[in-house]
């Protein structure tokens, strides 16, 4: 995850989880999640690069918990 371009990481996560790109609202929500979680980890004295990775791991955990992932048709 790069702070300047998280969209590529979000697109990759959606492709791996759902075999599709995120729609506009999903991209907005995921970008916000990464920004807020990265800041929360940084505020907890996690180095910035590790904070971004932990935020992405958090997003992936969310994606893998969705009905879309769990109940594929």
């Amino acid at each position: 995850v790069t702070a300047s371009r998280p969209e590529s990481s979000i697109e990759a996560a959606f492709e791996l989880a759902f075999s599709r790109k995120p729609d506009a609202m999903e991209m907005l929500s995921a970008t916000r999640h990464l920004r807020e979680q990265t800041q929360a980890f940084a505020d907890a004295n996690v180095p910035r690069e590790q904070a971004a990775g932990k935020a992405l791991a958090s997003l992936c955990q969310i994606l893998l918990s969705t009905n879309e992932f769990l109940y594929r048709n």
Side-chain angles (χ1 to χ4, degrees), residues 1 6-23 25-34 37 54-72:
V1 180
E7 293 84 2
S8 59
S9 296
I10 294 167
E11 286 180 358
F14 269 77
E15 283 287 344
L16 289 169
F18 307 132
S19 298
R20 65 174 180 82
K21 293 191 183 303
D23 64 28
M25 184 56 99
E26 291 167 332
M27 181 61 81
L28 180 66
S29 295
T31 303
R32 183 179 310 126
H33 176 80
L34 288 182
Q37 288 300 300
K54 288 179 178 284
L56 180 58
S58 172
L59 176 63
C60 291
Q61 193 168 25
I62 290 168
L63 297 179
L64 298 177
S65 297
T66 64
N67 282 341
E68 184 175 351
F69 179 80
L70 294 172
Y71 302 104
R72 306 242 357 160

Side-chain angles (χ1 to χ4, degrees), residues 34 37-42 46-56:
L34 288 182
Q37 288 300 300
T38 299
Q39 187 60 53
F41 285 119
V46 175
R48 196 76 175 160
E49 197 59 39
Q50 287 181 1
K54 288 179 178 284
L56 180 58

